[in-house]
Structure formats: C-alpha cells, structure tokens
Amino acid sequence: MKMALELAEQGRGWTSPNPMVGAVIVKDGTVIGKGFHQAAGGPHAEIHALNDAEGKAKGATLYVSLEPCNHTGRTPPCTEAILESGIKRVVAGMRDPDPRVTGSGLGFLESQGVEVSVGVCEDACHRINEAFIKYVTTSCPFVILKCAATLDGCIATGSGDSKWITNPLSRQFVHEVRHAVDAIMVGIGTVLKDDPQLTARLEGREAKDPMRIVLDTNLSIPKKARMLHLSSDSGILIVCGDSAPLEKRKKLEEFGIHFLTLDDEEGQIDLTALVEELGKIGITSLLIEGGSRINGSALRAGIVDKVYMFYAPKIYGGEGIPICAGPGVELMEQSINLEDITVHRFADDVMIEG
C-alpha cells in the first residue's frame, strides 16, 4: 500500500477533479504490475497496473489506495476490468468518500467472489486526497492558507517590503503547492504592491498553473499587471463587488478575464459565499497567498482547512505588517487551534503544517 501511495503522488497536480490513486498487483510474492491515475479523463490506476501486468494477473492480489470505481464516467468501471483479469483479492486503502458511490465498488467485487479488505494505511490515503474528500462531501474546495513571516510575526516591513522573508527552498515548496491546487487567490493589495505572476514554476519538470483569483471589490487592477500578460492558459477570475464600475469591467474583458460578482459589505467580499461559488465551477482546492487582511478575513470566516506557516530565522524588531489584520478574539482560549500538526525544515526556515 505504501508503494501504491508513492505511485499516486506522481499524479499530483494533474488528476483534479479526480483523486490521486496508485495501484500495485502482487502475485506469488512478486510485484507484477504498477500504475497510477495520471490525468483526469484518462485510465484509472487499476487499468494502468493491469496493463503493466500484461495478462498475468489471474490469481493475484491488487493493492489500490482508493476503492475501485463501479460506475461509468469518462472511463468504464474498473471493477469490470478487475473481474476480467482474474484477480482473486483486492485490498483498498480506503472507501470512496463520494456518498453517491461509497462501498459499491468493493461490494460488487465481493458479490462476484473476489476477496476484499479495506483500511490499510487509511490515514495516509485520506491525507493524499484531502482536497478530493472535502470537495465530494461538501461541494466546496479544500482551502489552504499559506504565509511567510519573521519570528516576530511580520509578513512585511512597515514600508511593505517582503522580498524575501524565506529562502529558495521554502519558495520552491510553495511552487509545488501551486502546481497541486486548482486555484490561487490574492487580494488587490497584493497585486498592486507585488505585481505577482501567481504561476507554478518547478525546476526541471513541467508544472500546471492554478487559476488566478483576485479579490478586487472596485476593479482596481491595472491593465499593465503582469498576470494579465502571461501566456498561461489557466485563466483569471476577478471577484468584484456589486457596485464595481461597469466601464472598468468592459476595459478588462479584452484580457479574457472571467468575473464573479458578489455582494460586498463595506468593501469586503463574503468569503463563505465565494468558496461556495468556486465549488460550483469545479474548483476543488484553493491556495490563499494574500496579505494580512485576506489572512484575517479567511480565518474569521472559517473557510480555511489547512495552513502552511513559514517562519524564517529573522527578527524584524519593529511595527511591521502582521500575519493577520482585523479584529481578533478577546481571550487566548478563543484562538484557533491547529490539529494534526507536522513541522518541516527547509534549510534554516521552519514550516508548520496543520
């Protein structure tokens, strides 16, 4: 199962809205087939593994990180191919979390005389597909909040300078995350101050750019912004308020921008309504890389599922820009507590994941 999970990881960034899945076929103590889901719309992991086994899977055991499908989507049911191959035993890491289909794949195989078991390395199988699980069970994207700060909690100096707080290894990890998610979101303040590209750039291999989302209540994004002039085909979505000037919108349409208009209260977009709308257009995962206002708003709205908090071994020592802006809680016991915490090192930088 660990081998299947390692295979599944190779599909990260390419399978959405499908899950990442790996499969291994073992016969007489020997691995005879391996495969992983490589892209949405393509063959599933089980099919790749069966093809790799070259017709020798009869009587073998199939280890797969997610319950095999038993329905026809863009590809035929994997359960049929498993039965045709003569596999006698299927071990699944976890059941399919989709409430419409959970249990049907394993149940069907068992009814046809295949020995089945489920729950091997289950926590790891859940972790690798945390975005998929959130989306199929709630119809809303899995939201990650990422920020980089000094040890005294500043994401920028008082003048707004933030390049660079963290080291190149930390920044490369962030590009890995960008490659893995469907969309990345910033506020208009970040666009005006940093003029970011919001693309994924990986050394030595192809990367997938996320859709770029900008919270821009009054459509203040300048026409010269770098993200408007990239060759990336990932698309740009500008979220504006219902009072945004129509003439500004018309001037921006020439860049192929998509717009989403939401009610705004005192210049603030309703983030709960936003993630619901993003789910409706098929966004399964969202990375927030905004400034202190967006960070604070997202946490207060309760839309964040995971945080990546980077801390560099630097002390600003002044009144810099904090990680979160806006009203906080009155008592420390009311603070947001992280669970399932992992600490990572990137050279001298420390990242807390939770």
Side-chain angles (χ1 to χ4, degrees):
M1 192 61 70
K2 290 180 179 179
M3 186 184 297
L5 286 164
E6 290 174 359
L7 288 164
E9 272 289 349
Q10 296 183 45
R12 186 173 292 278
W14 303 110
T15 65
S16 179
N18 292 352
M20 291 178 283
V21 184
V24 177
I25 299 174
V26 177
K27 186 175 183 179
D28 298 328
T30 301
V31 173
I32 62 170
K34 297 187 293 185
F36 66 96
H37 186 39
Q38 299 176 11
H44 290 184
E46 300 93 323
I47 305 304
H48 282 297
L50 288 169
N51 290 338
D52 191 40
E54 299 179 333
K56 301 174 183 177
K58 185 176 181 179
T61 296
L62 168 68
Y63 295 87
V64 59
S65 56
L66 182 68
E67 176 180 9
C69 67
N70 191 40
H71 61 280
T72 300
R74 285 187 276 186
T75 58
C78 289
T79 51
E80 292 183 2
I82 292 169
L83 288 176
E84 290 173 4
S85 72
I87 280 178
K88 69 174 183 180
R89 181 171 177 244
V90 173
V91 180
M94 61 176 285
R95 295 188 185 277
D96 189 328
D98 190 332
R100 298 169 299 178
V101 298
T102 184
S104 64
L106 292 175
F108 174 74
L109 289 172
E110 193 169 31
S111 72
Q112 299 301 306
V114 178
E115 181 185 347
V116 303
S117 58
V118 64
V120 178
C121 300
E122 190 167 11
D123 289 345
C125 292
H126 275 268
R127 175 67 65 86
I128 196 174
N129 280 315
E130 56 194 0
F132 171 74
I133 294 170
K134 167 77 181 294
Y135 184 71
V136 298
T137 55
T138 68
S139 299
C140 288
F142 185 84
V143 180
I144 303 168
L145 175 66
K146 166 263 168 183
C147 72
T150 61
L151 292 180
D152 49 347
C154 294
I155 63 172
T157 66
S159 65
D161 178 54
S162 60
K163 290 185 171 56
W164 292 100
I165 292 176
T166 53
N167 64 42
L169 289 177
S170 294
R171 300 199 296 274
Q172 185 62 24
F173 176 83
V174 173
H175 282 281
E176 294 277 1
V177 178
R178 288 182 179 184
H179 163 74
V181 298
D182 289 347
I184 181 173
M185 185 172 77
V186 298
I188 184 60
T190 297
V191 174
L192 296 176
K193 180 173 69 70
D194 297 336
D195 195 16
Q197 298 181 70
L198 302 183
T199 54
R201 302 179 292 279
L202 301 178
E203 295 182 5
R205 60 189 178 92
E206 183 182 4
K208 173 190 66 63
D209 291 334
M211 173 186 281
R212 288 152 286 166
I213 300 175
V214 180
L215 300 185
D216 187 5
T217 307
N218 298 309
L219 294 180
S220 302
I221 188 170
K223 295 175 70 174
K224 64 179 182 180
R226 284 200 298 171
M227 71 170 65
L228 302 184
H229 301 277
L230 299 175
S231 59
S232 174
D233 60 359
S234 63
I236 297 174
L237 175 68
I238 293 185
V239 184
C240 58
D242 49 10
S243 58
L246 184 59
E247 62 272 17
K248 287 187 177 181
R249 178 166 174 165
K250 289 181 178 180
K251 290 180 180 179
L252 290 169
E253 286 177 348
E254 65 183 84
F255 295 100
I257 295 171
H258 300 280
F259 295 90
L260 174 61
T261 302
L262 293 174
D263 293 339
D264 61 282
E265 184 176 343
E266 298 180 356
Q268 298 292 311
I269 298 293
D270 184 338
L271 296 183
T272 301
L274 172 59
V275 293
E276 291 175 355
E277 291 299 320
L278 294 180
K280 292 177 183 177
I281 63 173
I283 300 296
T284 70
S285 54
L286 172 68
L287 173 64
I288 299 176
E289 277 200 54
S292 57
R293 288 183 60 193
I294 294 241
N295 292 345
S297 296
L299 290 168
R300 284 191 296 274
I303 66 168
V304 178
D305 296 294
K306 171 183 269 190
V307 297
Y308 288 134
M309 294 283 192
F310 289 86
Y311 290 94
K314 300 174 182 178
I315 299 174
Y316 176 57
E319 296 182 0
I321 297 176
I323 293 173
C324 295
V329 298
E330 293 185 3
L331 302 175
M332 189 59 67
E333 64 181 16
Q334 298 171 327
S335 299
I336 298 170
N337 290 313
L338 299 186
E339 299 177 348
D340 196 12
I341 296 168
T342 307
V343 179
H344 307 262
R345 284 285 300 270
F346 297 93
D348 290 338
D349 292 345
V350 176
M351 184 191 82
I352 297 175
E353 171 187 359

PDB file of all heavy atoms in Angstrom, residues 14 18 21 24 34 37 40 67 79 88 94 96 109 119-120 128 130 138 154 156 176 184 195 283 286 288 312 352:
ATOM      1  N   TRP A  14      -2.283  16.853 -11.564  1.00  0.00           N
ATOM      2  CA  TRP A  14      -2.797  16.544 -12.890  1.00  0.00           C
ATOM      3  C   TRP A  14      -4.153  15.843 -12.875  1.00  0.00           C
ATOM      4  O   TRP A  14      -4.781  15.704 -13.933  1.00  0.00           O
ATOM      5  CB  TRP A  14      -1.792  15.664 -13.642  1.00  0.00           C
ATOM      6  CG  TRP A  14      -0.434  16.270 -13.761  1.00  0.00           C
ATOM      7  CD1 TRP A  14       0.714  15.868 -13.140  1.00  0.00           C
ATOM      8  CD2 TRP A  14      -0.067  17.406 -14.555  1.00  0.00           C
ATOM      9  NE1 TRP A  14       1.766  16.682 -13.486  1.00  0.00           N
ATOM     10  CE2 TRP A  14       1.320  17.627 -14.355  1.00  0.00           C
ATOM     11  CE3 TRP A  14      -0.772  18.250 -15.411  1.00  0.00           C
ATOM     12  CZ2 TRP A  14       2.002  18.667 -14.985  1.00  0.00           C
ATOM     13  CZ3 TRP A  14      -0.093  19.287 -16.034  1.00  0.00           C
ATOM     14  CH2 TRP A  14       1.273  19.485 -15.825  1.00  0.00           C
ATOM     15  N   ASN A  18     -10.506  14.520 -10.195  1.00  0.00           N
ATOM     16  CA  ASN A  18     -10.404  13.144  -9.713  1.00  0.00           C
ATOM     17  C   ASN A  18      -9.376  13.038  -8.589  1.00  0.00           C
ATOM     18  O   ASN A  18      -8.512  13.905  -8.447  1.00  0.00           O
ATOM     19  CB  ASN A  18      -9.984  12.210 -10.856  1.00  0.00           C
ATOM     20  CG  ASN A  18     -11.043  12.061 -11.920  1.00  0.00           C
ATOM     21  OD1 ASN A  18     -12.167  12.525 -11.753  1.00  0.00           O
ATOM     22  ND2 ASN A  18     -10.695  11.431 -13.022  1.00  0.00           N
ATOM     23  N   VAL A  21      -4.590   8.263  -7.208  1.00  0.00           N
ATOM     24  CA  VAL A  21      -4.715   6.845  -6.854  1.00  0.00           C
ATOM     25  C   VAL A  21      -3.531   6.080  -7.421  1.00  0.00           C
ATOM     26  O   VAL A  21      -3.108   6.314  -8.557  1.00  0.00           O
ATOM     27  CB  VAL A  21      -6.025   6.240  -7.401  1.00  0.00           C
ATOM     28  CG1 VAL A  21      -6.170   4.789  -6.943  1.00  0.00           C
ATOM     29  CG2 VAL A  21      -7.239   7.048  -6.953  1.00  0.00           C
ATOM     30  N   VAL A  24      -0.981  -1.482  -7.158  1.00  0.00           N
ATOM     31  CA  VAL A  24       0.111  -2.452  -7.262  1.00  0.00           C
ATOM     32  C   VAL A  24      -0.495  -3.850  -7.300  1.00  0.00           C
ATOM     33  O   VAL A  24      -1.361  -4.180  -6.482  1.00  0.00           O
ATOM     34  CB  VAL A  24       1.079  -2.335  -6.061  1.00  0.00           C
ATOM     35  CG1 VAL A  24       2.166  -3.402  -6.140  1.00  0.00           C
ATOM     36  CG2 VAL A  24       1.698  -0.949  -5.993  1.00  0.00           C
ATOM     37  N   LYS A  34       2.233  -2.223 -11.847  1.00  0.00           N
ATOM     38  CA  LYS A  34       2.126  -0.979 -11.093  1.00  0.00           C
ATOM     39  C   LYS A  34       1.498   0.083 -11.981  1.00  0.00           C
ATOM     40  O   LYS A  34       1.689   0.080 -13.202  1.00  0.00           O
ATOM     41  CB  LYS A  34       3.506  -0.492 -10.636  1.00  0.00           C
ATOM     42  CG  LYS A  34       4.219  -1.420  -9.674  1.00  0.00           C
ATOM     43  CD  LYS A  34       5.511  -0.791  -9.142  1.00  0.00           C
ATOM     44  CE  LYS A  34       6.554  -0.633 -10.229  1.00  0.00           C
ATOM     45  NZ  LYS A  34       7.839  -0.126  -9.676  1.00  0.00           N
ATOM     46  N   HIS A  37      -3.133   6.890 -11.462  1.00  0.00           N
ATOM     47  CA  HIS A  37      -4.010   7.752 -12.259  1.00  0.00           C
ATOM     48  C   HIS A  37      -3.197   8.968 -12.679  1.00  0.00           C
ATOM     49  O   HIS A  37      -2.726   9.731 -11.841  1.00  0.00           O
ATOM     50  CB  HIS A  37      -5.225   8.155 -11.430  1.00  0.00           C
ATOM     51  CG  HIS A  37      -6.244   8.929 -12.210  1.00  0.00           C
ATOM     52  ND1 HIS A  37      -6.576   8.643 -13.513  1.00  0.00           N
ATOM     53  CD2 HIS A  37      -7.007  10.008 -11.858  1.00  0.00           C
ATOM     54  CE1 HIS A  37      -7.500   9.489 -13.931  1.00  0.00           C
ATOM     55  NE2 HIS A  37      -7.773  10.329 -12.950  1.00  0.00           N
ATOM     56  N   ALA A  40      -7.035  13.426 -15.282  1.00  0.00           N
ATOM     57  CA  ALA A  40      -8.496  13.307 -15.346  1.00  0.00           C
ATOM     58  C   ALA A  40      -8.921  12.983 -16.770  1.00  0.00           C
ATOM     59  O   ALA A  40      -8.440  13.589 -17.730  1.00  0.00           O
ATOM     60  CB  ALA A  40      -9.141  14.610 -14.882  1.00  0.00           C
ATOM     61  N   GLU A  67     -10.878   2.765  -3.116  1.00  0.00           N
ATOM     62  CA  GLU A  67     -11.834   1.772  -3.606  1.00  0.00           C
ATOM     63  C   GLU A  67     -12.045   1.880  -5.119  1.00  0.00           C
ATOM     64  O   GLU A  67     -12.273   2.970  -5.640  1.00  0.00           O
ATOM     65  CB  GLU A  67     -13.176   2.005  -2.892  1.00  0.00           C
ATOM     66  CG  GLU A  67     -14.306   1.126  -3.356  1.00  0.00           C
ATOM     67  CD  GLU A  67     -15.609   1.412  -2.619  1.00  0.00           C
ATOM     68  OE1 GLU A  67     -15.673   2.408  -1.870  1.00  0.00           O
ATOM     69  OE2 GLU A  67     -16.556   0.623  -2.796  1.00  0.00           O
ATOM     70  N   THR A  79     -14.082  -2.064 -11.810  1.00  0.00           N
ATOM     71  CA  THR A  79     -14.456  -3.378 -11.264  1.00  0.00           C
ATOM     72  C   THR A  79     -14.593  -4.426 -12.366  1.00  0.00           C
ATOM     73  O   THR A  79     -14.245  -5.590 -12.170  1.00  0.00           O
ATOM     74  CB  THR A  79     -15.775  -3.269 -10.483  1.00  0.00           C
ATOM     75  OG1 THR A  79     -16.753  -2.609 -11.307  1.00  0.00           O
ATOM     76  CG2 THR A  79     -15.593  -2.483  -9.201  1.00  0.00           C
ATOM     77  N   LYS A  88      -7.935 -12.302  -7.618  1.00  0.00           N
ATOM     78  CA  LYS A  88      -8.740 -13.002  -6.611  1.00  0.00           C
ATOM     79  C   LYS A  88      -8.922 -12.191  -5.326  1.00  0.00           C
ATOM     80  O   LYS A  88      -9.796 -12.514  -4.516  1.00  0.00           O
ATOM     81  CB  LYS A  88      -8.101 -14.350  -6.278  1.00  0.00           C
ATOM     82  CG  LYS A  88      -6.778 -14.258  -5.508  1.00  0.00           C
ATOM     83  CD  LYS A  88      -6.288 -15.638  -5.083  1.00  0.00           C
ATOM     84  CE  LYS A  88      -5.007 -15.541  -4.241  1.00  0.00           C
ATOM     85  NZ  LYS A  88      -4.512 -16.868  -3.816  1.00  0.00           N
ATOM     86  N   MET A  94      -8.819   2.847   1.358  1.00  0.00           N
ATOM     87  CA  MET A  94      -9.994   3.491   1.939  1.00  0.00           C
ATOM     88  C   MET A  94     -11.168   3.355   0.976  1.00  0.00           C
ATOM     89  O   MET A  94     -10.994   3.077  -0.206  1.00  0.00           O
ATOM     90  CB  MET A  94      -9.721   4.978   2.219  1.00  0.00           C
ATOM     91  CG  MET A  94      -9.385   5.792   0.977  1.00  0.00           C
ATOM     92  SD  MET A  94      -9.188   7.564   1.299  1.00  0.00           S
ATOM     93  CE  MET A  94     -10.911   8.052   1.496  1.00  0.00           C
ATOM     94  N   ASP A  96     -14.345   4.844  -1.186  1.00  0.00           N
ATOM     95  CA  ASP A  96     -14.587   6.066  -1.942  1.00  0.00           C
ATOM     96  C   ASP A  96     -15.449   6.999  -1.072  1.00  0.00           C
ATOM     97  O   ASP A  96     -16.528   6.603  -0.627  1.00  0.00           O
ATOM     98  CB  ASP A  96     -15.321   5.734  -3.242  1.00  0.00           C
ATOM     99  CG  ASP A  96     -15.413   6.917  -4.189  1.00  0.00           C
ATOM    100  OD1 ASP A  96     -15.490   8.065  -3.707  1.00  0.00           O
ATOM    101  OD2 ASP A  96     -15.418   6.691  -5.404  1.00  0.00           O
ATOM    102  N   LEU A 109     -17.476  -6.301  -6.084  1.00  0.00           N
ATOM    103  CA  LEU A 109     -16.411  -7.289  -6.239  1.00  0.00           C
ATOM    104  C   LEU A 109     -16.633  -8.480  -5.298  1.00  0.00           C
ATOM    105  O   LEU A 109     -16.475  -9.642  -5.690  1.00  0.00           O
ATOM    106  CB  LEU A 109     -15.055  -6.645  -5.968  1.00  0.00           C
ATOM    107  CG  LEU A 109     -14.556  -5.663  -7.033  1.00  0.00           C
ATOM    108  CD1 LEU A 109     -13.303  -4.938  -6.550  1.00  0.00           C
ATOM    109  CD2 LEU A 109     -14.268  -6.380  -8.352  1.00  0.00           C
ATOM    110  N   GLY A 119      -8.948  -0.431   4.496  1.00  0.00           N
ATOM    111  CA  GLY A 119      -8.463   0.245   5.686  1.00  0.00           C
ATOM    112  C   GLY A 119      -6.983   0.074   5.947  1.00  0.00           C
ATOM    113  O   GLY A 119      -6.542   0.192   7.085  1.00  0.00           O
ATOM    114  N   VAL A 120      -6.192  -0.188   4.909  1.00  0.00           N
ATOM    115  CA  VAL A 120      -4.739  -0.327   5.063  1.00  0.00           C
ATOM    116  C   VAL A 120      -4.084   1.029   4.783  1.00  0.00           C
ATOM    117  O   VAL A 120      -4.323   1.626   3.738  1.00  0.00           O
ATOM    118  CB  VAL A 120      -4.185  -1.399   4.099  1.00  0.00           C
ATOM    119  CG1 VAL A 120      -2.670  -1.502   4.230  1.00  0.00           C
ATOM    120  CG2 VAL A 120      -4.837  -2.745   4.379  1.00  0.00           C
ATOM    121  N   ILE A 128      -3.560  12.064   1.346  1.00  0.00           N
ATOM    122  CA  ILE A 128      -3.173  12.351  -0.036  1.00  0.00           C
ATOM    123  C   ILE A 128      -4.332  12.920  -0.854  1.00  0.00           C
ATOM    124  O   ILE A 128      -4.139  13.672  -1.797  1.00  0.00           O
ATOM    125  CB  ILE A 128      -2.589  11.086  -0.707  1.00  0.00           C
ATOM    126  CG1 ILE A 128      -1.823  11.467  -1.983  1.00  0.00           C
ATOM    127  CG2 ILE A 128      -3.660  10.070  -1.021  1.00  0.00           C
ATOM    128  CD1 ILE A 128      -1.101  10.306  -2.624  1.00  0.00           C
ATOM    129  N   GLU A 130      -7.021  14.730   0.555  1.00  0.00           N
ATOM    130  CA  GLU A 130      -7.820  15.585   1.441  1.00  0.00           C
ATOM    131  C   GLU A 130      -8.666  16.594   0.663  1.00  0.00           C
ATOM    132  O   GLU A 130      -9.803  16.896   1.054  1.00  0.00           O
ATOM    133  CB  GLU A 130      -6.911  16.301   2.446  1.00  0.00           C
ATOM    134  CG  GLU A 130      -5.803  17.124   1.812  1.00  0.00           C
ATOM    135  CD  GLU A 130      -4.733  17.551   2.812  1.00  0.00           C
ATOM    136  OE1 GLU A 130      -4.856  17.201   3.998  1.00  0.00           O
ATOM    137  OE2 GLU A 130      -3.784  18.236   2.396  1.00  0.00           O
ATOM    138  N   THR A 138     -18.709  18.024   0.436  1.00  0.00           N
ATOM    139  CA  THR A 138     -19.301  19.320   0.770  1.00  0.00           C
ATOM    140  C   THR A 138     -19.603  20.187  -0.446  1.00  0.00           C
ATOM    141  O   THR A 138     -20.286  21.205  -0.315  1.00  0.00           O
ATOM    142  CB  THR A 138     -18.367  20.134   1.688  1.00  0.00           C
ATOM    143  OG1 THR A 138     -17.200  20.524   0.954  1.00  0.00           O
ATOM    144  CG2 THR A 138     -17.956  19.326   2.916  1.00  0.00           C
ATOM    145  N   CYS A 154       5.977  39.112  11.428  1.00  0.00           N
ATOM    146  CA  CYS A 154       5.764  40.123  10.393  1.00  0.00           C
ATOM    147  C   CYS A 154       5.874  39.492   9.007  1.00  0.00           C
ATOM    148  O   CYS A 154       6.818  38.745   8.728  1.00  0.00           O
ATOM    149  CB  CYS A 154       6.791  41.243  10.504  1.00  0.00           C
ATOM    150  SG  CYS A 154       6.640  42.218  12.022  1.00  0.00           S
ATOM    151  N   ALA A 156       5.825  41.528   6.331  1.00  0.00           N
ATOM    152  CA  ALA A 156       6.472  42.580   5.547  1.00  0.00           C
ATOM    153  C   ALA A 156       6.930  43.674   6.507  1.00  0.00           C
ATOM    154  O   ALA A 156       6.467  43.757   7.649  1.00  0.00           O
ATOM    155  CB  ALA A 156       5.512  43.158   4.504  1.00  0.00           C
ATOM    156  N   GLU A 176       5.443  23.997  -5.580  1.00  0.00           N
ATOM    157  CA  GLU A 176       4.883  22.648  -5.618  1.00  0.00           C
ATOM    158  C   GLU A 176       3.406  22.680  -5.224  1.00  0.00           C
ATOM    159  O   GLU A 176       2.569  21.989  -5.816  1.00  0.00           O
ATOM    160  CB  GLU A 176       5.655  21.726  -4.667  1.00  0.00           C
ATOM    161  CG  GLU A 176       7.099  21.467  -5.050  1.00  0.00           C
ATOM    162  CD  GLU A 176       7.250  20.367  -6.098  1.00  0.00           C
ATOM    163  OE1 GLU A 176       6.225  19.815  -6.545  1.00  0.00           O
ATOM    164  OE2 GLU A 176       8.402  20.079  -6.462  1.00  0.00           O
ATOM    165  N   ILE A 184      -5.410  29.780  -7.054  1.00  0.00           N
ATOM    166  CA  ILE A 184      -4.661  30.555  -6.069  1.00  0.00           C
ATOM    167  C   ILE A 184      -5.334  31.921  -5.955  1.00  0.00           C
ATOM    168  O   ILE A 184      -5.776  32.487  -6.967  1.00  0.00           O
ATOM    169  CB  ILE A 184      -3.181  30.693  -6.480  1.00  0.00           C
ATOM    170  CG1 ILE A 184      -2.386  31.475  -5.460  1.00  0.00           C
ATOM    171  CG2 ILE A 184      -3.043  31.326  -7.854  1.00  0.00           C
ATOM    172  CD1 ILE A 184      -0.887  31.478  -5.740  1.00  0.00           C
ATOM    173  N   ASP A 195       2.805  42.931  -7.722  1.00  0.00           N
ATOM    174  CA  ASP A 195       2.631  42.606  -9.141  1.00  0.00           C
ATOM    175  C   ASP A 195       3.027  41.155  -9.425  1.00  0.00           C
ATOM    176  O   ASP A 195       3.878  40.876 -10.275  1.00  0.00           O
ATOM    177  CB  ASP A 195       3.456  43.551 -10.018  1.00  0.00           C
ATOM    178  CG  ASP A 195       3.027  43.497 -11.488  1.00  0.00           C
ATOM    179  OD1 ASP A 195       1.922  42.976 -11.766  1.00  0.00           O
ATOM    180  OD2 ASP A 195       3.803  43.949 -12.343  1.00  0.00           O
ATOM    181  N   ILE A 283     -13.908  24.135  -8.795  1.00  0.00           N
ATOM    182  CA  ILE A 283     -12.639  24.346  -8.088  1.00  0.00           C
ATOM    183  C   ILE A 283     -12.636  23.449  -6.858  1.00  0.00           C
ATOM    184  O   ILE A 283     -13.435  23.637  -5.941  1.00  0.00           O
ATOM    185  CB  ILE A 283     -12.456  25.820  -7.675  1.00  0.00           C
ATOM    186  CG1 ILE A 283     -12.449  26.732  -8.905  1.00  0.00           C
ATOM    187  CG2 ILE A 283     -11.181  25.997  -6.866  1.00  0.00           C
ATOM    188  CD1 ILE A 283     -11.308  26.486  -9.847  1.00  0.00           C
ATOM    189  N   LEU A 286      -8.066  25.370  -3.188  1.00  0.00           N
ATOM    190  CA  LEU A 286      -7.754  26.793  -3.293  1.00  0.00           C
ATOM    191  C   LEU A 286      -6.616  27.139  -2.348  1.00  0.00           C
ATOM    192  O   LEU A 286      -6.651  26.786  -1.168  1.00  0.00           O
ATOM    193  CB  LEU A 286      -8.998  27.624  -2.932  1.00  0.00           C
ATOM    194  CG  LEU A 286      -8.808  29.143  -2.802  1.00  0.00           C
ATOM    195  CD1 LEU A 286      -8.502  29.763  -4.160  1.00  0.00           C
ATOM    196  CD2 LEU A 286     -10.056  29.778  -2.181  1.00  0.00           C
ATOM    197  N   ILE A 288      -4.654  30.261  -0.645  1.00  0.00           N
ATOM    198  CA  ILE A 288      -4.706  31.692  -0.354  1.00  0.00           C
ATOM    199  C   ILE A 288      -3.291  32.178  -0.071  1.00  0.00           C
ATOM    200  O   ILE A 288      -2.626  31.697   0.838  1.00  0.00           O
ATOM    201  CB  ILE A 288      -5.615  31.995   0.848  1.00  0.00           C
ATOM    202  CG1 ILE A 288      -7.051  31.555   0.565  1.00  0.00           C
ATOM    203  CG2 ILE A 288      -5.582  33.484   1.187  1.00  0.00           C
ATOM    204  CD1 ILE A 288      -7.993  31.737   1.735  1.00  0.00           C
ATOM    205  N   ALA A 312      10.942  32.304   9.079  1.00  0.00           N
ATOM    206  CA  ALA A 312      12.361  32.450   8.771  1.00  0.00           C
ATOM    207  C   ALA A 312      13.102  32.907  10.031  1.00  0.00           C
ATOM    208  O   ALA A 312      12.519  33.588  10.885  1.00  0.00           O
ATOM    209  CB  ALA A 312      12.555  33.463   7.650  1.00  0.00           C
ATOM    210  N   ILE A 352       5.231  25.173   9.707  1.00  0.00           N
ATOM    211  CA  ILE A 352       4.243  24.440  10.496  1.00  0.00           C
ATOM    212  C   ILE A 352       3.035  24.168   9.624  1.00  0.00           C
ATOM    213  O   ILE A 352       2.424  25.091   9.079  1.00  0.00           O
ATOM    214  CB  ILE A 352       3.842  25.216  11.764  1.00  0.00           C
ATOM    215  CG1 ILE A 352       5.055  25.389  12.692  1.00  0.00           C
ATOM    216  CG2 ILE A 352       2.696  24.514  12.485  1.00  0.00           C
ATOM    217  CD1 ILE A 352       4.782  26.234  13.891  1.00  0.00           C
TER     218      ILE A 352
END
